[in-house]
Amino acid sequence: MAASGLPPLPPQFKPIQHFLRTAQELEKREPVVAYYCRLYAMQTGMKTDSKNPECRKFLCKLMDHLEAMKKQLGDNEAITQEIVGCAHVENYALKMFLYADNEDRAGRFHKNMIKSFYTASLLIDVLTVFGELTDENVQHRKYARWKATYIHNCLKNGETPLSGPIGMEGEFCDDQNEEDGSPALPNQESQPSSSTYESSNVPASSYTGIHIPPGAHAPANTPAEVPHNTSVTSSTLQPTPQNIPIVDPSLYNVQPSGEIRLTPEDFARAQKYCKYAGSALQYEDVSTAVQNLQKALKLLTTGRE
């Protein structure tokens, strides 16, 4: 991959090519997510092979590119503060997941939703640059990869996929599919389309074992092309009004008790909720913002979540 001034990708780094390609596709509309995709690729490459001259040359160029991006985005809190960056990437991954999940449940199977499922799984991998994944994100990643592979194979074989979770029979990403670092998905070389997509009228959904926040919506400009034969049009779709959760009346004018002893961990968690709320507001997701602010307020005033 010679994009963005990088030398050709060494064969040893084939597993990270999809992260670099995703970064390239998101370069203009989501530079923060693109930055962390490249950071994940560099960290993975360092673990894979940092001694081979060809690999070392590639990693040095990638590191220079990351430094240039960091300088360009230097005033962005999502770059300077990891907790904000984590919330930003996680929020975008979830919204992309929801776009694909809503299309799936509506029975609209097309290349864009397949790639959105798979890209969401890649972005959850990227979250490991901030630390260990939550159980919820692990389940989202597993489901997204399985769905992407399952629907792609159905369409390839001329079969009609079944919507929603249907059992996840067997391992959807076996060793053969992961020889090149990804499931056997449609051509990943395609460039993102210029069409803009907002959330559809399909309500946000959830499936067994995984919680999806109510009121969450898909991001604009999902990264894959939408074929002309789908029911999704290229015009901007207007989102349905969000169901904003009612603020718990008990939280009004509440003052922390003198007996409350907040730990540094409590303050860190409260800060995390506030950052998540700020990230949600970037996507005009009022419901998620309110929920996280309520969590932070309850923690600070009661010492409990």
Side-chain angles (χ1 to χ4, degrees), residues 145-164:
R145 284 183 178 165
W146 166 71
K147 263 296 181 179
T149 304
Y150 165 72
I151 296 173
H152 168 66
N153 288 339
C154 283
L155 298 182
K156 180 180 178 181
N157 297 327
E159 302 171 358
T160 302
L162 297 177
S163 298

Side-chain angles (χ1 to χ4, degrees), residues 72-111:
Q72 182 181 3
L73 301 170
D75 58 347
N76 192 314
E77 283 191 345
I79 298 297
T80 59
Q81 299 184 38
E82 283 194 356
I83 193 169
V84 183
C86 180
H88 187 96
V89 176
E90 185 176 30
N91 197 295
Y92 191 81
L94 178 59
K95 289 172 183 295
M96 186 167 292
F97 176 95
L98 284 170
Y99 165 80
D101 189 49
N102 286 340
E103 290 295 282
D104 173 38
R105 291 172 184 272
R108 294 190 289 261
F109 305 108
H110 49 83
K111 182 179 178 181

Side-chain angles (χ1 to χ4, degrees), residues 68-237:
M69 289 189 71
K70 190 173 183 179
K71 184 177 180 180
Q72 182 181 3
L73 301 170
D75 58 347
N76 192 314
E77 283 191 345
I79 298 297
T80 59
Q81 299 184 38
E82 283 194 356
I83 193 169
V84 183
C86 180
H88 187 96
V89 176
E90 185 176 30
N91 197 295
Y92 191 81
L94 178 59
K95 289 172 183 295
M96 186 167 292
F97 176 95
L98 284 170
Y99 165 80
D101 189 49
N102 286 340
E103 290 295 282
D104 173 38
R105 291 172 184 272
R108 294 190 289 261
F109 305 108
H110 49 83
K111 182 179 178 181
N112 192 53
M113 61 93 73
I114 293 173
K115 189 175 181 183
S116 293
F117 262 135
Y118 184 59
T119 303
S121 75
L122 293 181
L123 295 182
I124 294 175
D125 279 332
V126 171
L127 288 174
T128 59
V129 303
F130 304 104
E132 187 176 353
L133 294 177
T134 64
D135 291 340
E136 184 179 29
N137 280 333
V138 170
Q139 290 300 313
H140 275 91
R141 180 178 62 182
K142 182 178 181 180
Y143 184 83
R145 284 183 178 165
W146 166 71
K147 263 296 181 179
T149 304
Y150 165 72
I151 296 173
H152 168 66
N153 288 339
C154 283
L155 298 182
K156 180 180 178 181
N157 297 327
E159 302 171 358
T160 302
L162 297 177
S163 298
I166 55 175
M168 298 178 65
E169 296 88 353
E171 289 299 320
F172 51 90
C173 287
D174 55 26
D175 293 338
Q176 290 182 344
N177 281 342
E178 293 200 337
E179 284 180 358
D180 67 342
S182 70
L185 294 176
N187 180 12
Q188 299 280 332
E189 296 290 346
S190 61
Q191 295 299 315
S193 69
S194 59
S195 302
T196 299
Y197 304 94
E198 296 291 348
S199 56
S200 68
N201 290 330
V202 181
S205 55
S206 61
Y207 44 88
T208 304
I210 300 177
H211 170 69
I212 297 175
H217 296 283
N221 293 322
T222 51
E225 296 178 8
V226 175
H228 295 297
N229 60 351
T230 69
S231 58
V232 179
T233 64
S234 60
S235 60
T236 301
L237 300 177

Side-chain angles (χ1 to χ4, degrees), residues 222-263:
T222 51
E225 296 178 8
V226 175
H228 295 297
N229 60 351
T230 69
S231 58
V232 179
T233 64
S234 60
S235 60
T236 301
L237 300 177
Q238 294 301 321
T240 55
Q242 300 185 45
N243 294 321
I244 301 175
I246 299 174
V247 177
D248 185 351
S250 66
L251 297 179
Y252 287 117
N253 300 321
V254 67
Q255 297 295 329
S257 168
E259 299 179 357
I260 298 297
R261 294 291 185 269
L262 297 176
T263 66

Side-chain angles (χ1 to χ4, degrees), residues 9-74:
L9 188 73
Q12 299 94 317
F13 290 166
K14 196 173 182 181
I16 67 174
Q17 64 181 338
H18 299 292
F19 297 93
L20 295 173
R21 186 172 295 120
T22 298
Q24 182 181 354
E25 292 175 343
L26 296 175
E27 184 94 51
K28 293 183 178 180
R29 63 175 175 270
E30 278 292 337
V32 169
V33 179
Y35 171 83
Y36 284 112
C37 284
R38 292 194 175 103
L39 180 61
Y40 174 87
M42 188 190 72
Q43 292 180 354
T44 304
M46 291 287 290
K47 296 175 183 177
T48 302
D49 191 341
S50 60
K51 296 182 179 180
N52 178 279
E54 185 182 8
C55 294
R56 189 163 59 247
K57 178 182 178 181
F58 183 89
L59 290 173
C60 287
K61 289 292 185 180
L62 181 56
M63 189 176 300
D64 290 342
H65 190 71
L66 279 168
E67 287 299 321
M69 289 189 71
K70 190 173 183 179
K71 184 177 180 180
Q72 182 181 3
L73 301 170

